[in-house]
Amino acid sequence: MRRALLICAMLAVLSSRYAEAAERVWRVGMLTLPGTTGERGVGSIMLPYLAARGFVEGRNLVLDVRVGTEEQMPALAQALVSDKPDVIIATSDWALHPAHAATSTIPIVAAPMGADPVQAGVAESWAHPGGNVTGVCLIASELEVKRLSLLHEALPSVHRIAVMSGHRKVVEGGYPPLRKAAAEAGLELMEIWVESPSEYAAAFDAMRTQGVEALVIVPTPEIYRDGEVLAALSAKAGLPTIGGFRESAEQGLLIGYGPSLKELNQQAAGYVERILAGAHADELPFQGPTRFDFAINMKTAKAIGVTIPPYLLVSAETID
């Protein structure tokens, strides 16, 4: 009997929170670099997810999106905070840290972040963040090690592999595990850093000159945005390349491996919903992805003359 009464009381609290949500207009801020996974997912996944739970844009929800470069993020974050949103969605590390610097009270949902939130200084622990930041975390360095391993499994004869990324000041801090994994596998790792699309062609020229046999592309926001351009350059160079998501293989890279973008956006939207319904960010544990997609583009494999080992094809989705 006491258990039943307790459950009824909890349901009553939740019901009152959602009733309040239906009666007021909520402001959701988004801070993003162009082309991030979160920015692309907000219209197709996050807003429908929230609408199905009573938070409807144009009726009781206002979405305020601020888009800019890394250098513009601090000013954009300050401007967004000054408008006092109920929650802020930060779609990458480059948006999260300026948002965290701009406010210690407005809840911030990482959607997602790449670095470990504790090591990055935005949470006390994964289970108990203890501040105003929570959300989804990729542990990007571990994913890059996995991508390197998959590429080497697909191409066991290669020796010299390049890894391409932008945002060197931030990303390079996660490279030690990747360098260690390459050394242990007997691979020579060439690091390529690009800061704008104008540097892509020169980067591929450098890889050809230095005898690179395969490429790992780190999906920083701008590189993710330019996936089709990089797939075309990889194909032109005849370079077997692995990208950061299933969509990378759809765009023309040989392999795509990474978390499900749909799941990432649903996880973030779930936390936005819970915060709007009254939950506190410090009560919501950081989540990691639970679903990983692995896809191989067979048309690309044929075009560049690569034969994928049968055991890998069994575990991968093939794209023709």
Side-chain angles (χ1 to χ4, degrees), residues 36-39 46 89-92 109-113 134-136 264-265 268:
T36 59
T37 58
E39 184 191 20
M46 288 190 184
I89 301 169
T91 65
S92 67
V109 175
M113 67 180 297
T134 188
V136 185
L264 294 177
N265 282 286

Side-chain angles (χ1 to χ4, degrees), residues 5 27 31 66 70 73 85 132 154 188 203 206-207 219 284:
L5 291 172
R27 295 186 60 85
L31 193 62
R66 308 294 175 103
E70 180 180 358
M73 281 294 111
N132 66 320
E188 183 180 345
M207 284 185 271
L284 301 175

Side-chain angles (χ1 to χ4, degrees), residues 224-250:
Y224 171 77
R225 176 198 65 201
D226 298 334
E228 292 184 359
V229 173
L230 292 165
L233 287 168
S234 294
K236 183 179 178 181
L239 202 59
T241 303
I242 185 169
F245 300 98
R246 176 193 181 279
E247 289 76 5
S248 304
E250 290 182 336

Side-chain angles (χ1 to χ4, degrees), residues 21-320:
E23 294 174 359
R24 60 173 283 187
V25 175
W26 299 85
R27 295 186 60 85
V28 175
M30 174 177 277
L31 193 62
T32 181
L33 276 71
T36 59
T37 58
E39 184 191 20
R40 293 189 182 187
V42 66
S44 61
I45 299 173
M46 288 190 184
L47 289 178
Y49 182 101
L50 292 170
R53 289 153 179 82
F55 301 98
V56 182
E57 186 181 23
R59 190 174 75 195
N60 65 344
L61 185 145
V62 174
L63 180 65
D64 184 359
V65 181
R66 308 294 175 103
V67 184
T69 65
E70 180 180 358
E71 292 73 22
Q72 293 170 328
M73 281 294 111
L76 289 173
Q78 289 286 352
L80 184 59
V81 166
S82 69
D83 284 342
K84 297 181 171 57
D86 296 290
V87 60
I88 295 172
I89 301 169
T91 65
S92 67
D93 299 58
W94 297 276
L96 174 63
H97 290 291
H100 187 226
T103 179
S104 60
T105 55
I106 297 173
I108 300 171
V109 175
M113 67 180 297
D116 182 293
V118 178
Q119 294 178 4
V122 299
E124 294 176 5
S125 71
W126 277 62
H128 303 284
N132 66 320
V133 179
T134 188
V136 185
C137 181
L138 302 180
I139 307 293
S141 59
E142 294 181 10
L143 286 173
E144 299 313 330
V145 170
K146 178 63 175 179
R147 293 182 186 116
L148 178 69
S149 174
L150 283 173
L151 189 59
H152 192 212
E153 286 185 66
L155 306 158
S157 64
V158 304
H159 173 68
R160 180 172 289 188
I161 297 180
V163 55
M164 175 188 286
S165 182
H167 297 280
R168 182 168 188 165
K169 289 187 293 184
V170 174
V171 175
E172 192 173 21
Y175 267 36
L178 185 63
R179 293 166 181 153
K180 180 182 179 182
E184 290 175 348
L187 299 172
E188 183 180 345
L189 196 66
M190 178 182 176
E191 298 174 17
I192 302 289
W193 299 96
V194 291
E195 298 303 333
S196 74
S198 64
E199 299 177 13
Y200 294 158
F204 278 87
D205 288 341
M207 284 185 271
R208 280 193 294 268
T209 299
Q210 299 188 44
V212 168
E213 300 167 278
L215 172 63
V216 177
I217 292 181
V218 178
T220 57
E222 295 86 353
I223 285 178
Y224 171 77
R225 176 198 65 201
D226 298 334
E228 292 184 359
V229 173
L230 292 165
L233 287 168
S234 294
K236 183 179 178 181
L239 202 59
T241 303
I242 185 169
F245 300 98
R246 176 193 181 279
E247 289 76 5
S248 304
E250 290 182 336
Q251 292 170 335
L253 295 185
L254 176 64
I255 302 172
Y257 176 81
S260 162
L261 295 178
K262 181 178 180 180
E263 181 190 55
L264 294 177
N265 282 286
Q266 286 178 336
Q267 287 174 315
Y271 270 6
V272 172
E273 174 205 1
R274 291 176 66 178
I275 288 169
L276 294 182
H280 297 283
D282 61 356
E283 302 170 346
L284 301 175
F286 268 90
Q287 301 180 67
T290 62
R291 176 184 162 189
F292 294 86
D293 297 328
F294 175 29
I296 298 175
N297 189 312
M298 299 307 294
K299 183 178 179 180
T300 299
K302 183 177 180 180
I304 62 177
V306 169
T307 300
I308 304 295
Y311 78 90
L312 272 186
L313 292 175
V314 170
S315 60
E317 174 189 357
T318 56
I319 297 174
D320 298 317

Side-chain angles (χ1 to χ4, degrees), residues 1-14:
M1 183 68 177
R2 291 181 62 188
R3 179 181 174 85
L5 291 172
L6 179 60
I7 291 174
C8 288
M10 292 174 64
L11 290 174
V13 171
L14 289 173

